[in-house]
Short mmCIF file of all heavy atoms in Angstrom, two decimals:
data_model
loop_
_atom_site.label_atom_id
_atom_site.label_comp_id
_atom_site.label_asym_id
_atom_site.label_seq_id
_atom_site.Cartn_x
_atom_site.Cartn_y
_atom_site.Cartn_z
N ASN V 1 290.58 -24.64 -43.00
CA ASN V 1 290.79 -23.39 -42.28
C ASN V 1 291.09 -23.65 -40.80
O ASN V 1 291.81 -22.89 -40.17
CB ASN V 1 289.58 -22.49 -42.46
CG ASN V 1 289.88 -21.06 -42.11
OD1 ASN V 1 290.99 -20.60 -42.30
ND2 ASN V 1 288.90 -20.38 -41.58
N THR V 2 290.54 -24.73 -40.24
CA THR V 2 290.75 -25.05 -38.84
C THR V 2 292.23 -25.27 -38.53
O THR V 2 292.75 -24.77 -37.54
CB THR V 2 289.94 -26.31 -38.44
OG1 THR V 2 288.57 -26.07 -38.73
CG2 THR V 2 290.11 -26.63 -36.97
N LEU V 3 292.92 -26.00 -39.42
CA LEU V 3 294.35 -26.25 -39.20
C LEU V 3 295.15 -24.95 -39.31
O LEU V 3 296.12 -24.76 -38.57
CB LEU V 3 294.88 -27.27 -40.21
CG LEU V 3 294.61 -28.72 -39.88
CD1 LEU V 3 295.11 -29.62 -41.00
CD2 LEU V 3 295.25 -29.13 -38.57
N LYS V 4 294.78 -24.09 -40.23
CA LYS V 4 295.49 -22.82 -40.38
C LYS V 4 295.37 -22.00 -39.10
O LYS V 4 296.36 -21.43 -38.62
CB LYS V 4 294.94 -22.04 -41.57
CG LYS V 4 295.35 -22.59 -42.91
CD LYS V 4 294.60 -21.88 -44.01
CE LYS V 4 295.49 -21.02 -44.83
NZ LYS V 4 294.81 -20.42 -46.00
N VAL V 5 294.18 -21.93 -38.54
CA VAL V 5 293.95 -21.18 -37.30
C VAL V 5 294.73 -21.82 -36.15
O VAL V 5 295.38 -21.12 -35.36
CB VAL V 5 292.44 -21.09 -36.97
CG1 VAL V 5 292.22 -20.50 -35.60
CG2 VAL V 5 291.72 -20.28 -38.04
N ALA V 6 294.69 -23.14 -36.06
CA ALA V 6 295.42 -23.84 -35.00
C ALA V 6 296.92 -23.58 -35.12
O ALA V 6 297.61 -23.37 -34.11
CB ALA V 6 295.14 -25.34 -35.06
N ALA V 7 297.44 -23.57 -36.33
CA ALA V 7 298.87 -23.31 -36.55
C ALA V 7 299.22 -21.89 -36.11
O ALA V 7 300.27 -21.65 -35.51
CB ALA V 7 299.22 -23.52 -38.01
N GLU V 8 298.36 -20.94 -36.41
CA GLU V 8 298.59 -19.54 -35.99
C GLU V 8 298.63 -19.43 -34.48
O GLU V 8 299.48 -18.73 -33.92
CB GLU V 8 297.49 -18.64 -36.55
CG GLU V 8 297.58 -18.46 -38.05
CD GLU V 8 296.35 -17.79 -38.65
OE1 GLU V 8 295.47 -17.34 -37.89
OE2 GLU V 8 296.26 -17.75 -39.89
N VAL V 9 297.74 -20.14 -33.79
CA VAL V 9 297.72 -20.14 -32.32
C VAL V 9 299.02 -20.73 -31.80
O VAL V 9 299.64 -20.20 -30.87
CB VAL V 9 296.50 -20.90 -31.77
CG1 VAL V 9 296.61 -21.10 -30.27
CG2 VAL V 9 295.22 -20.17 -32.13
N CYS V 10 299.46 -21.84 -32.40
CA CYS V 10 300.71 -22.47 -31.96
C CYS V 10 301.89 -21.51 -32.10
O CYS V 10 302.72 -21.39 -31.19
CB CYS V 10 300.97 -23.74 -32.77
SG CYS V 10 299.85 -25.09 -32.40
N ARG V 11 301.97 -20.81 -33.23
CA ARG V 11 303.06 -19.84 -33.45
C ARG V 11 302.98 -18.70 -32.43
O ARG V 11 304.00 -18.30 -31.86
CB ARG V 11 302.99 -19.26 -34.86
CG ARG V 11 303.29 -20.22 -35.94
CD ARG V 11 304.75 -20.55 -36.02
NE ARG V 11 304.96 -21.37 -37.20
CZ ARG V 11 306.12 -21.60 -37.72
NH1 ARG V 11 307.20 -21.08 -37.19
NH2 ARG V 11 306.22 -22.39 -38.77
N ARG V 12 301.78 -18.21 -32.22
CA ARG V 12 301.59 -17.11 -31.28
C ARG V 12 302.02 -17.51 -29.88
O ARG V 12 302.52 -16.70 -29.10
CB ARG V 12 300.12 -16.67 -31.30
CG ARG V 12 299.85 -15.39 -30.57
CD ARG V 12 298.46 -14.83 -30.79
NE ARG V 12 297.40 -15.79 -30.57
CZ ARG V 12 296.54 -16.21 -31.49
NH1 ARG V 12 296.62 -15.76 -32.72
NH2 ARG V 12 295.59 -17.08 -31.20
N GLU V 13 301.84 -18.78 -29.55
CA GLU V 13 302.21 -19.28 -28.22
C GLU V 13 303.67 -19.73 -28.14
O GLU V 13 304.10 -20.26 -27.14
CB GLU V 13 301.28 -20.43 -27.83
CG GLU V 13 299.84 -20.00 -27.60
CD GLU V 13 299.69 -18.99 -26.48
OE1 GLU V 13 300.35 -19.15 -25.42
OE2 GLU V 13 298.92 -18.02 -26.66
N GLY V 14 304.43 -19.53 -29.22
CA GLY V 14 305.86 -19.77 -29.17
C GLY V 14 306.40 -20.96 -29.94
O GLY V 14 307.59 -21.26 -29.86
N ALA V 15 305.56 -21.65 -30.70
CA ALA V 15 306.05 -22.79 -31.48
C ALA V 15 307.06 -22.33 -32.51
O ALA V 15 306.84 -21.34 -33.21
CB ALA V 15 304.89 -23.51 -32.16
N ILE V 16 308.17 -23.03 -32.60
CA ILE V 16 309.21 -22.72 -33.58
C ILE V 16 308.83 -23.28 -34.94
O ILE V 16 309.11 -22.70 -35.97
CB ILE V 16 310.56 -23.29 -33.12
CG1 ILE V 16 310.99 -22.60 -31.83
CG2 ILE V 16 311.61 -23.14 -34.20
CD1 ILE V 16 312.15 -23.25 -31.12
N SER V 17 308.16 -24.43 -34.93
CA SER V 17 307.78 -25.11 -36.15
C SER V 17 306.40 -25.74 -35.96
O SER V 17 306.08 -26.19 -34.86
CB SER V 17 308.82 -26.19 -36.48
OG SER V 17 308.44 -26.93 -37.61
N VAL V 18 305.63 -25.78 -37.02
CA VAL V 18 304.30 -26.40 -36.96
C VAL V 18 304.17 -27.40 -38.11
O VAL V 18 304.34 -27.04 -39.28
CB VAL V 18 303.17 -25.36 -37.06
CG1 VAL V 18 301.81 -26.04 -37.05
CG2 VAL V 18 303.27 -24.34 -35.93
N CYS V 19 303.89 -28.65 -37.76
CA CYS V 19 303.64 -29.70 -38.74
C CYS V 19 302.23 -30.21 -38.54
O CYS V 19 301.72 -30.22 -37.41
CB CYS V 19 304.62 -30.86 -38.54
SG CYS V 19 306.33 -30.40 -38.70
N ALA V 20 301.60 -30.64 -39.61
CA ALA V 20 300.25 -31.19 -39.52
C ALA V 20 300.23 -32.53 -40.26
O ALA V 20 301.00 -32.73 -41.20
CB ALA V 20 299.24 -30.24 -40.14
N ALA V 21 299.35 -33.40 -39.84
CA ALA V 21 299.16 -34.69 -40.52
C ALA V 21 297.67 -34.90 -40.72
O ALA V 21 296.89 -34.79 -39.77
CB ALA V 21 299.76 -35.81 -39.70
N VAL V 22 297.29 -35.17 -41.96
CA VAL V 22 295.88 -35.39 -42.28
C VAL V 22 295.77 -36.61 -43.19
O VAL V 22 296.70 -36.95 -43.92
CB VAL V 22 295.25 -34.16 -42.96
CG1 VAL V 22 295.28 -32.96 -42.05
CG2 VAL V 22 295.93 -33.84 -44.28
N THR V 23 294.63 -37.25 -43.14
CA THR V 23 294.40 -38.42 -43.99
C THR V 23 294.10 -38.00 -45.42
O THR V 23 294.68 -38.52 -46.37
CB THR V 23 293.23 -39.25 -43.45
OG1 THR V 23 293.49 -39.55 -42.08
CG2 THR V 23 293.07 -40.53 -44.22
N HIS V 24 293.17 -37.08 -45.59
CA HIS V 24 292.75 -36.62 -46.91
C HIS V 24 292.92 -35.11 -46.95
O HIS V 24 292.22 -34.40 -46.24
CB HIS V 24 291.28 -36.96 -47.17
CG HIS V 24 290.89 -38.34 -46.77
ND1 HIS V 24 291.31 -39.46 -47.46
CD2 HIS V 24 290.12 -38.80 -45.77
CE1 HIS V 24 290.81 -40.54 -46.88
NE2 HIS V 24 290.09 -40.16 -45.85
N ALA V 25 293.81 -34.63 -47.79
CA ALA V 25 294.06 -33.19 -47.89
C ALA V 25 293.03 -32.57 -48.82
O ALA V 25 293.24 -32.41 -50.01
CB ALA V 25 295.47 -32.93 -48.38
N LEU V 26 291.88 -32.22 -48.26
CA LEU V 26 290.82 -31.56 -49.02
C LEU V 26 290.86 -30.08 -48.68
O LEU V 26 290.24 -29.62 -47.72
CB LEU V 26 289.45 -32.17 -48.65
CG LEU V 26 289.33 -33.67 -48.90
CD1 LEU V 26 288.01 -34.19 -48.35
CD2 LEU V 26 289.45 -33.97 -50.39
N PHE V 27 291.64 -29.34 -49.45
CA PHE V 27 291.85 -27.93 -49.16
C PHE V 27 290.72 -27.06 -49.66
O PHE V 27 290.15 -27.30 -50.71
CB PHE V 27 293.16 -27.44 -49.80
CG PHE V 27 294.38 -28.10 -49.26
CD1 PHE V 27 295.17 -28.90 -50.07
CD2 PHE V 27 294.73 -27.94 -47.94
CE1 PHE V 27 296.31 -29.50 -49.57
CE2 PHE V 27 295.86 -28.53 -47.43
CZ PHE V 27 296.65 -29.32 -48.25
N THR V 28 290.43 -26.01 -48.89
CA THR V 28 289.52 -24.98 -49.36
C THR V 28 290.33 -24.04 -50.23
O THR V 28 291.55 -24.18 -50.35
CB THR V 28 288.89 -24.22 -48.18
OG1 THR V 28 289.94 -23.67 -47.38
CG2 THR V 28 288.02 -25.13 -47.33
N GLU V 29 289.68 -23.08 -50.82
CA GLU V 29 290.38 -22.14 -51.69
C GLU V 29 291.56 -21.49 -50.96
O GLU V 29 291.44 -21.06 -49.83
CB GLU V 29 289.40 -21.06 -52.15
CG GLU V 29 289.97 -20.20 -53.24
CD GLU V 29 288.94 -19.22 -53.81
OE1 GLU V 29 287.77 -19.63 -53.93
OE2 GLU V 29 289.32 -18.09 -54.10
N GLY V 30 292.70 -21.48 -51.60
CA GLY V 30 293.90 -20.89 -51.01
C GLY V 30 294.81 -21.92 -50.36
O GLY V 30 295.98 -21.66 -50.15
N GLY V 31 294.26 -23.09 -50.03
CA GLY V 31 295.06 -24.17 -49.46
C GLY V 31 295.94 -23.73 -48.31
O GLY V 31 295.47 -23.15 -47.35
N LEU V 32 297.23 -23.98 -48.44
CA LEU V 32 298.18 -23.66 -47.38
C LEU V 32 298.83 -22.29 -47.56
O LEU V 32 299.69 -21.92 -46.76
CB LEU V 32 299.29 -24.73 -47.34
CG LEU V 32 298.86 -26.12 -46.93
CD1 LEU V 32 300.03 -27.10 -47.07
CD2 LEU V 32 298.33 -26.14 -45.52
N GLU V 33 298.43 -21.56 -48.56
CA GLU V 33 299.02 -20.24 -48.80
C GLU V 33 298.86 -19.34 -47.58
O GLU V 33 297.79 -19.25 -47.00
CB GLU V 33 298.38 -19.58 -50.02
CG GLU V 33 298.59 -20.32 -51.31
CD GLU V 33 300.05 -20.55 -51.65
OE1 GLU V 33 300.88 -19.65 -51.42
OE2 GLU V 33 300.36 -21.65 -52.13
N GLY V 34 299.95 -18.72 -47.17
CA GLY V 34 299.92 -17.80 -46.04
C GLY V 34 299.73 -18.48 -44.69
O GLY V 34 299.51 -17.82 -43.69
N SER V 35 299.83 -19.78 -44.66
CA SER V 35 299.61 -20.53 -43.43
C SER V 35 300.88 -20.60 -42.59
O SER V 35 301.99 -20.55 -43.11
CB SER V 35 299.13 -21.93 -43.81
OG SER V 35 299.66 -22.91 -43.01
N ALA V 36 300.71 -20.75 -41.29
CA ALA V 36 301.84 -20.90 -40.36
C ALA V 36 302.33 -22.35 -40.32
O ALA V 36 303.26 -22.65 -39.59
CB ALA V 36 301.42 -20.45 -38.97
N ILE V 37 301.73 -23.22 -41.10
CA ILE V 37 302.14 -24.63 -41.16
C ILE V 37 303.40 -24.74 -42.00
O ILE V 37 303.45 -24.25 -43.13
CB ILE V 37 301.02 -25.50 -41.75
CG1 ILE V 37 299.79 -25.46 -40.85
CG2 ILE V 37 301.49 -26.93 -41.97
CD1 ILE V 37 298.55 -26.10 -41.44
N ASP V 38 304.43 -25.38 -41.44
CA ASP V 38 305.68 -25.56 -42.17
C ASP V 38 305.61 -26.73 -43.14
O ASP V 38 306.12 -26.67 -44.25
CB ASP V 38 306.84 -25.80 -41.20
CG ASP V 38 307.11 -24.58 -40.36
OD1 ASP V 38 307.31 -23.50 -40.94
OD2 ASP V 38 307.11 -24.70 -39.12
N VAL V 39 304.99 -27.82 -42.70
CA VAL V 39 304.85 -29.00 -43.55
C VAL V 39 303.57 -29.74 -43.17
O VAL V 39 303.22 -29.81 -41.99
CB VAL V 39 306.08 -29.93 -43.46
CG1 VAL V 39 306.26 -30.48 -42.07
CG2 VAL V 39 306.01 -31.06 -44.46
N MET V 40 302.88 -30.23 -44.19
CA MET V 40 301.68 -31.02 -43.96
C MET V 40 301.90 -32.39 -44.59
O MET V 40 302.21 -32.50 -45.77
CB MET V 40 300.45 -30.39 -44.56
CG MET V 40 299.21 -31.26 -44.37
SD MET V 40 297.71 -30.52 -44.96
CE MET V 40 297.50 -29.23 -43.77
N TYR V 41 301.75 -33.42 -43.77
CA TYR V 41 301.86 -34.79 -44.24
C TYR V 41 300.46 -35.30 -44.54
O TYR V 41 299.54 -35.12 -43.73
CB TYR V 41 302.51 -35.67 -43.18
CG TYR V 41 303.91 -35.25 -42.86
CD1 TYR V 41 304.18 -34.39 -41.80
CD2 TYR V 41 304.98 -35.66 -43.64
CE1 TYR V 41 305.47 -33.98 -41.50
CE2 TYR V 41 306.28 -35.25 -43.37
CZ TYR V 41 306.51 -34.41 -42.29
OH TYR V 41 307.79 -34.00 -42.02
N THR V 42 300.28 -35.90 -45.70
CA THR V 42 298.98 -36.41 -46.10
C THR V 42 299.16 -37.67 -46.93
O THR V 42 300.28 -38.03 -47.29
CB THR V 42 298.18 -35.35 -46.88
OG1 THR V 42 296.85 -35.83 -47.11
CG2 THR V 42 298.83 -35.01 -48.21
N THR V 43 298.06 -38.34 -47.22
CA THR V 43 298.11 -39.53 -48.05
C THR V 43 297.69 -39.19 -49.47
O THR V 43 297.19 -38.11 -49.74
CB THR V 43 297.17 -40.63 -47.51
OG1 THR V 43 295.82 -40.19 -47.65
CG2 THR V 43 297.47 -40.95 -46.05
N ASP V 44 297.88 -40.15 -50.35
CA ASP V 44 297.46 -39.97 -51.74
C ASP V 44 296.06 -40.55 -51.98
O ASP V 44 295.74 -41.02 -53.05
CB ASP V 44 298.47 -40.61 -52.70
CG ASP V 44 298.70 -42.09 -52.44
OD1 ASP V 44 298.14 -42.64 -51.46
OD2 ASP V 44 299.45 -42.70 -53.22
N SER V 45 295.22 -40.47 -50.95
CA SER V 45 293.87 -41.02 -51.05
C SER V 45 292.95 -40.18 -51.93
O SER V 45 291.93 -40.67 -52.39
CB SER V 45 293.26 -41.16 -49.64
OG SER V 45 293.20 -39.89 -49.02
N VAL V 46 293.30 -38.93 -52.14
CA VAL V 46 292.56 -38.06 -53.07
C VAL V 46 293.59 -37.32 -53.93
O VAL V 46 294.72 -37.09 -53.49
CB VAL V 46 291.67 -37.03 -52.33
CG1 VAL V 46 290.55 -37.73 -51.58
CG2 VAL V 46 292.47 -36.16 -51.41
N PRO V 47 293.23 -36.97 -55.16
CA PRO V 47 294.18 -36.21 -56.01
C PRO V 47 294.56 -34.90 -55.33
O PRO V 47 293.72 -34.24 -54.72
CB PRO V 47 293.38 -35.96 -57.29
CG PRO V 47 292.29 -36.98 -57.29
CD PRO V 47 291.98 -37.24 -55.84
N LEU V 48 295.82 -34.54 -55.44
CA LEU V 48 296.32 -33.35 -54.76
C LEU V 48 297.35 -32.66 -55.63
O LEU V 48 298.29 -33.30 -56.11
CB LEU V 48 296.96 -33.75 -53.43
CG LEU V 48 297.57 -32.67 -52.57
CD1 LEU V 48 296.50 -31.71 -52.07
CD2 LEU V 48 298.28 -33.29 -51.38
N ALA V 49 297.18 -31.37 -55.84
CA ALA V 49 298.17 -30.58 -56.58
C ALA V 49 299.43 -30.48 -55.73
O ALA V 49 299.35 -30.39 -54.50
CB ALA V 49 297.61 -29.20 -56.89
N GLU V 50 300.58 -30.48 -56.39
CA GLU V 50 301.84 -30.36 -55.65
C GLU V 50 301.93 -29.01 -54.96
O GLU V 50 301.49 -27.99 -55.49
CB GLU V 50 303.02 -30.54 -56.60
CG GLU V 50 303.20 -31.97 -57.05
CD GLU V 50 304.50 -32.15 -57.82
OE1 GLU V 50 305.49 -31.48 -57.50
OE2 GLU V 50 304.49 -32.98 -58.73
N HIS V 51 302.50 -29.03 -53.77
CA HIS V 51 302.70 -27.80 -53.01
C HIS V 51 303.98 -27.97 -52.21
O HIS V 51 304.25 -29.05 -51.69
CB HIS V 51 301.51 -27.56 -52.08
CG HIS V 51 301.53 -26.20 -51.45
ND1 HIS V 51 302.36 -25.88 -50.40
CD2 HIS V 51 300.83 -25.08 -51.74
CE1 HIS V 51 302.17 -24.62 -50.07
NE2 HIS V 51 301.25 -24.11 -50.87
N ALA V 52 304.76 -26.92 -52.09
CA ALA V 52 306.05 -26.99 -51.40
C ALA V 52 305.92 -27.43 -49.94
O ALA V 52 306.83 -28.04 -49.40
CB ALA V 52 306.75 -25.63 -51.47
N LYS V 53 304.80 -27.15 -49.31
CA LYS V 53 304.62 -27.48 -47.89
C LYS V 53 304.02 -28.87 -47.67
O LYS V 53 303.80 -29.27 -46.54
CB LYS V 53 303.71 -26.45 -47.21
CG LYS V 53 304.32 -25.07 -47.08
CD LYS V 53 303.39 -24.18 -46.29
CE LYS V 53 304.01 -22.82 -46.03
NZ LYS V 53 303.18 -22.02 -45.13
N THR V 54 303.72 -29.61 -48.74
CA THR V 54 303.02 -30.87 -48.61
C THR V 54 303.95 -32.05 -48.87
O THR V 54 304.68 -32.07 -49.86
CB THR V 54 301.84 -30.94 -49.60
OG1 THR V 54 301.02 -29.80 -49.41
CG2 THR V 54 301.01 -32.18 -49.39
N GLN V 55 303.91 -33.03 -47.98
CA GLN V 55 304.63 -34.29 -48.16
C GLN V 55 303.57 -35.39 -48.25
O GLN V 55 302.78 -35.57 -47.33
CB GLN V 55 305.56 -34.57 -46.97
CG GLN V 55 306.68 -33.58 -46.82
CD GLN V 55 307.71 -33.75 -47.93
OE1 GLN V 55 308.05 -34.86 -48.31
NE2 GLN V 55 308.20 -32.63 -48.44
N VAL V 56 303.55 -36.12 -49.37
CA VAL V 56 302.53 -37.14 -49.60
C VAL V 56 303.10 -38.52 -49.31
O VAL V 56 304.18 -38.87 -49.77
CB VAL V 56 302.00 -37.07 -51.05
CG1 VAL V 56 300.96 -38.15 -51.29
CG2 VAL V 56 301.42 -35.69 -51.33
N VAL V 57 302.34 -39.29 -48.54
CA VAL V 57 302.70 -40.67 -48.20
C VAL V 57 301.74 -41.58 -48.96
O VAL V 57 300.52 -41.43 -48.84
CB VAL V 57 302.57 -40.92 -46.67
CG1 VAL V 57 302.88 -42.36 -46.34
CG2 VAL V 57 303.47 -39.96 -45.92
N SER V 58 302.27 -42.50 -49.73
CA SER V 58 301.43 -43.39 -50.52
C SER V 58 300.78 -44.46 -49.64
O SER V 58 301.44 -45.07 -48.79
CB SER V 58 302.25 -44.08 -51.61
OG SER V 58 301.41 -44.98 -52.32
N ILE V 59 299.50 -44.68 -49.88
CA ILE V 59 298.79 -45.75 -49.18
C ILE V 59 298.38 -46.85 -50.17
O ILE V 59 297.60 -47.73 -49.83
CB ILE V 59 297.56 -45.23 -48.41
CG1 ILE V 59 296.57 -44.54 -49.35
CG2 ILE V 59 297.99 -44.33 -47.27
CD1 ILE V 59 295.23 -44.24 -48.70
N ALA V 60 298.95 -46.82 -51.38
CA ALA V 60 298.58 -47.79 -52.41
C ALA V 60 298.81 -49.23 -51.94
O ALA V 60 297.96 -50.10 -52.14
CB ALA V 60 299.37 -47.52 -53.69
N GLY V 61 299.95 -49.49 -51.32
CA GLY V 61 300.25 -50.84 -50.84
C GLY V 61 299.25 -51.31 -49.80
O GLY V 61 298.79 -52.47 -49.82
N LEU V 62 298.90 -50.42 -48.90
CA LEU V 62 297.95 -50.76 -47.84
C LEU V 62 296.56 -51.06 -48.43
O LEU V 62 295.91 -52.03 -48.04
CB LEU V 62 297.85 -49.62 -46.83
CG LEU V 62 296.91 -49.81 -45.65
CD1 LEU V 62 297.35 -51.00 -44.80
CD2 LEU V 62 296.87 -48.55 -44.81
N ILE V 63 296.13 -50.24 -49.37
CA ILE V 63 294.83 -50.46 -50.02
C ILE V 63 294.86 -51.79 -50.77
O ILE V 63 293.90 -52.56 -50.72
CB ILE V 63 294.47 -49.30 -50.97
CG1 ILE V 63 294.33 -47.99 -50.20
CG2 ILE V 63 293.22 -49.60 -51.77
CD1 ILE V 63 293.22 -47.95 -49.19
N GLY V 64 295.95 -52.07 -51.46
CA GLY V 64 296.09 -53.33 -52.18
C GLY V 64 296.00 -54.53 -51.25
O GLY V 64 295.31 -55.52 -51.55
N GLN V 65 296.69 -54.46 -50.12
CA GLN V 65 296.63 -55.55 -49.15
C GLN V 65 295.22 -55.71 -48.59
O GLN V 65 294.75 -56.84 -48.40
CB GLN V 65 297.61 -55.30 -48.00
CG GLN V 65 299.05 -55.48 -48.38
CD GLN V 65 299.96 -55.19 -47.19
OE1 GLN V 65 299.58 -55.32 -46.04
NE2 GLN V 65 301.19 -54.79 -47.50
N ALA V 66 294.54 -54.61 -48.34
CA ALA V 66 293.17 -54.68 -47.82
C ALA V 66 292.24 -55.35 -48.83
O ALA V 66 291.43 -56.21 -48.46
CB ALA V 66 292.66 -53.28 -47.48
N ILE V 67 292.38 -55.00 -50.10
CA ILE V 67 291.55 -55.63 -51.14
C ILE V 67 291.83 -57.12 -51.21
O ILE V 67 290.91 -57.94 -51.29
CB ILE V 67 291.78 -54.94 -52.50
CG1 ILE V 67 291.21 -53.52 -52.47
CG2 ILE V 67 291.16 -55.76 -53.64
CD1 ILE V 67 291.61 -52.66 -53.65
N GLU V 68 293.11 -57.50 -51.18
CA GLU V 68 293.47 -58.93 -51.20
C GLU V 68 292.82 -59.67 -50.04
O GLU V 68 292.28 -60.77 -50.20
CB GLU V 68 294.99 -59.10 -51.10
CG GLU V 68 295.74 -58.86 -52.37
CD GLU V 68 297.25 -59.08 -52.20
OE1 GLU V 68 297.72 -59.40 -51.09
OE2 GLU V 68 297.95 -58.92 -53.21
N ARG V 69 292.85 -59.08 -48.85
CA ARG V 69 292.28 -59.73 -47.67
C ARG V 69 290.75 -59.82 -47.76
O ARG V 69 290.18 -60.81 -47.31
CB ARG V 69 292.71 -59.00 -46.41
CG ARG V 69 294.19 -59.23 -46.12
CD ARG V 69 294.70 -58.30 -45.04
NE ARG V 69 296.13 -58.42 -44.93
CZ ARG V 69 296.75 -58.94 -43.89
NH1 ARG V 69 296.07 -59.40 -42.87
NH2 ARG V 69 298.06 -59.01 -43.87
N ILE V 70 290.14 -58.82 -48.30
CA ILE V 70 288.68 -58.87 -48.47
C ILE V 70 288.30 -59.98 -49.44
O ILE V 70 287.41 -60.79 -49.16
CB ILE V 70 288.14 -57.50 -48.94
CG1 ILE V 70 288.28 -56.47 -47.81
CG2 ILE V 70 286.69 -57.62 -49.41
CD1 ILE V 70 288.06 -55.04 -48.25
N VAL V 71 289.01 -60.05 -50.56
CA VAL V 71 288.72 -61.06 -51.58
C VAL V 71 288.94 -62.47 -51.03
O VAL V 71 288.17 -63.39 -51.31
CB VAL V 71 289.58 -60.82 -52.85
CG1 VAL V 71 289.50 -61.99 -53.81
CG2 VAL V 71 289.14 -59.54 -53.53
N SER V 72 289.97 -62.64 -50.21
CA SER V 72 290.28 -63.98 -49.67
C SER V 72 289.62 -64.24 -48.32
O SER V 72 289.90 -65.25 -47.67
CB SER V 72 291.80 -64.16 -49.56
OG SER V 72 292.33 -63.23 -48.63
N ALA V 73 288.74 -63.33 -47.89
CA ALA V 73 288.01 -63.46 -46.62
C ALA V 73 288.94 -63.53 -45.41
O ALA V 73 288.65 -64.19 -44.42
CB ALA V 73 287.06 -64.65 -46.64
N ASP V 74 290.09 -62.83 -45.51
CA ASP V 74 291.01 -62.73 -44.37
C ASP V 74 290.74 -61.44 -43.60
O ASP V 74 289.99 -60.57 -44.05
CB ASP V 74 292.47 -62.73 -44.86
CG ASP V 74 292.92 -64.08 -45.37
OD1 ASP V 74 292.37 -65.11 -44.90
OD2 ASP V 74 293.80 -64.11 -46.26
N SER V 75 291.39 -61.29 -42.46
CA SER V 75 291.19 -60.14 -41.60
C SER V 75 291.84 -58.89 -42.17
O SER V 75 293.04 -58.88 -42.47
CB SER V 75 291.78 -60.42 -40.22
OG SER V 75 291.80 -59.25 -39.45
N VAL V 76 291.06 -57.83 -42.32
CA VAL V 76 291.61 -56.53 -42.72
C VAL V 76 292.17 -55.83 -41.49
O VAL V 76 293.20 -55.15 -41.57
CB VAL V 76 290.52 -55.67 -43.40
CG1 VAL V 76 291.04 -54.27 -43.68
CG2 VAL V 76 290.04 -56.32 -44.67
N SER V 77 291.53 -55.97 -40.35
CA SER V 77 291.98 -55.29 -39.13
C SER V 77 293.38 -55.72 -38.71
O SER V 77 294.10 -54.97 -38.09
CB SER V 77 290.99 -55.50 -37.99
OG SER V 77 290.90 -56.86 -37.65
N SER V 78 293.80 -56.92 -39.11
CA SER V 78 295.15 -57.37 -38.75
C SER V 78 296.23 -56.53 -39.44
O SER V 78 297.38 -56.54 -39.00
CB SER V 78 295.32 -58.85 -39.09
OG SER V 78 295.25 -59.04 -40.49
N LEU V 79 295.87 -55.78 -40.47
CA LEU V 79 296.83 -54.88 -41.12
C LEU V 79 297.28 -53.76 -40.17
O LEU V 79 298.32 -53.17 -40.34
CB LEU V 79 296.21 -54.23 -42.36
CG LEU V 79 296.02 -55.11 -43.58
CD1 LEU V 79 295.22 -54.36 -44.63
CD2 LEU V 79 297.36 -55.55 -44.13
N PHE V 80 296.46 -53.46 -39.17
CA PHE V 80 296.71 -52.33 -38.31
C PHE V 80 297.23 -52.72 -36.93
O PHE V 80 297.33 -51.88 -36.05
CB PHE V 80 295.44 -51.49 -38.18
CG PHE V 80 294.91 -51.08 -39.53
CD1 PHE V 80 293.84 -51.76 -40.09
CD2 PHE V 80 295.52 -50.09 -40.26
CE1 PHE V 80 293.36 -51.40 -41.35
CE2 PHE V 80 295.07 -49.74 -41.52
CZ PHE V 80 293.98 -50.40 -42.06
N LYS V 81 297.56 -53.98 -36.75
CA LYS V 81 298.10 -54.44 -35.48
C LYS V 81 299.61 -54.55 -35.58
O LYS V 81 300.14 -54.96 -36.60
CB LYS V 81 297.50 -55.79 -35.09
CG LYS V 81 296.01 -55.71 -34.85
CD LYS V 81 295.43 -57.07 -34.52
CE LYS V 81 293.92 -56.96 -34.33
NZ LYS V 81 293.31 -58.26 -34.19
N SER V 82 300.31 -54.18 -34.53
CA SER V 82 301.78 -54.23 -34.54
C SER V 82 302.28 -55.64 -34.49
O SER V 82 301.82 -56.49 -33.83
CB SER V 82 302.34 -53.48 -33.33
OG SER V 82 301.93 -52.14 -33.40
#
């Protein structure tokens, strides 16, 4: 609900478009219905029903690499360095 309210404020203040990005899309009842959010980017870290406003980014490769590094006692934090 917090993102929905924030999106409404953005629109009221003149935003032409509102995008949101979240790690885990754990929606309350109603999800994005009636929301001022145009598109929400999220990961596939939790099961998510398809929705026209949602774009899902897979993190499977990243999780796989992290598991490999843990098993081989390599650095996991190095995955996040440029």
Side-chain angles (χ1 to χ4, degrees):
N1 197 32
T2 303
L3 280 176
K4 287 172 110 174
V5 172
E8 290 168 8
V9 170
C10 290
R11 292 286 186 165
R12 191 170 51 243
E13 293 299 318
I16 296 168
S17 176
V18 178
C19 300
V22 298
T23 306
H24 316 289
L26 301 173
F27 296 116
T28 57
E29 190 174 322
L32 294 174
E33 297 303 321
S35 141
I37 297 171
D38 294 306
V39 63
M40 177 176 290
Y41 298 94
T42 187
T43 67
D44 57 356
S45 60
V46 294
L48 179 65
E50 287 189 34
H51 190 283
K53 292 185 175 187
T54 306
Q55 295 290 319
V56 179
V57 177
S58 178
I59 59 169
L62 181 62
I63 298 296
Q65 288 180 25
I67 291 169
E68 282 181 359
R69 289 169 188 249
I70 291 167
V71 169
S72 63
D74 289 332
S75 170
V76 174
S77 62
S78 66
L79 287 172
F80 305 102
K81 296 178 182 173
S82 299

